[in-house]
Amino acid sequence: MLIALLLAITQIALFFFAQQNLETVAENSVRKLMTGNAQQANMTQAQFKNAVCADLPRFMKCANLMIDVRTANSFSDANTGAPTITYDSTGKPTNLQFAPGGAGSIVIVKTMYVWDVADGPLGFDISNMSNNKRLLIATSVFKTEQYA
């Protein structure tokens, strides 16, 4: 029982470590949208994802990263819930958007990472996706600056 408990604690600690790293990466990357740098550079979704990938720590793979950027009419309209992601036959997400808006827009950025988890002892399981995976989500909601 002690070994099972130690393994479960280790797995939870790794999960929280990965989640905190994702939060830090998301915080740093949304600055490009908040200041209008990404919009003025006409960044595409792929270019923005590559910029975010550059900030990922070495133990996280860019292939597991997904980014969804949407705008809202007001802060109360901002949907911060976990998204339902649909995939095509190759496993690529099909319903992610990249709509960063313009100056003064309210933007919702969901930076998501598919984290591989191992089956824990005695049925311990922290996965929330199929195939022993957990979707980590860092959500940022902000109003873009009035850039020129």
Side-chain angles (χ1 to χ4, degrees), residues 21-22 25 53 55-61:
N21 274 281
L22 184 65
V25 167
C53 284
D55 290 338
L56 280 177
R58 289 187 183 266
F59 69 89
M60 296 176 96
K61 297 179 275 188

Side-chain angles (χ1 to χ4, degrees), residues 30-129:
V30 299
R31 183 91 180 120
K32 294 171 183 68
L33 295 170
M34 189 175 0
T35 59
N37 290 342
Q39 293 91 323
Q40 290 176 321
N42 291 321
M43 286 181 107
T44 64
Q45 186 172 19
Q47 290 170 326
F48 185 72
K49 181 181 175 181
N50 287 338
V52 175
C53 284
D55 290 338
L56 280 177
R58 289 187 183 266
F59 69 89
M60 296 176 96
K61 297 179 275 188
C62 187
N64 292 1
L65 184 71
M66 296 179 286
I67 300 171
D68 186 60
V69 179
R70 300 172 190 242
T71 57
N73 294 326
S74 66
F75 283 106
S76 61
D77 288 341
N79 179 0
T80 59
T84 301
I85 303 169
T86 57
Y87 298 91
D88 64 13
S89 60
T90 64
K92 183 178 178 183
T94 59
N95 61 333
L96 299 180
Q97 295 182 14
F98 187 73
S105 295
I106 297 171
V107 181
I108 306 104
V109 178
K110 294 179 184 173
T111 307
M112 299 166 281
Y113 188 83
V114 179
W115 179 255
D116 294 319
V117 296
D119 280 335
L122 305 175
F124 180 73
D125 184 11
I126 62 170
S127 63
N128 61 2
M129 299 176 74

